[in-house]
Amino acid sequence: MKNITYKTSGTCSQYVHIEADDHQIITSLEVAGGCHGNLQGISRLAVGMSLEEARQKLQGILCGTKSTSCPDQISKAIAELQKQY
């Protein structure tokens, strides 16, 4: 089991905490701050997904005129977690 707590940047959320098993499957994803309902939904959808699939689906999503979003920040956290494997 690997995990990371990633400090977000440029979003309403403050951090992302992700845990993944030895097969790089997400077992837990929590986001502090941001739009609680939306992030809770994203978290539930991501559990059971491979790190790579989730990263690819979430990267590059923008929030309004910002250069990032909470999903994009989750993808960055996932990329950092992937480096542990």
Side-chain angles (χ1 to χ4, degrees):
M1 183 83 58
K2 309 271 186 195
N3 69 76
I4 190 169
T5 300
Y6 180 86
K7 182 169 177 17
T8 58
S9 175
T11 62
C12 299
S13 60
Q14 291 96 31
Y15 70 85
V16 176
H17 181 79
I18 305 170
E19 294 181 0
D21 66 17
D22 293 336
H23 302 288
Q24 298 191 39
I25 302 299
I26 297 170
T27 58
S28 174
L29 192 156
E30 299 174 44
V31 183
C35 303
H36 182 69
N38 289 335
L39 293 171
Q40 189 176 27
I42 290 170
S43 296
R44 287 185 186 184
L45 288 170
V47 169
M49 193 178 288
S50 74
L51 291 171
E52 184 61 18
E53 181 181 11
R55 186 190 61 75
Q56 288 180 6
K57 288 181 183 252
L58 298 173
Q59 75 181 14
I61 294 173
L62 304 181
C63 183
T65 59
K66 295 179 182 179
S67 62
T68 191
S69 67
C70 291
D72 187 55
Q73 290 294 299
I74 293 169
S75 77
K76 292 178 186 316
I78 290 170
E80 288 300 312
L81 180 56
Q82 287 177 302
K83 292 177 182 178
Q84 294 183 27
Y85 287 92

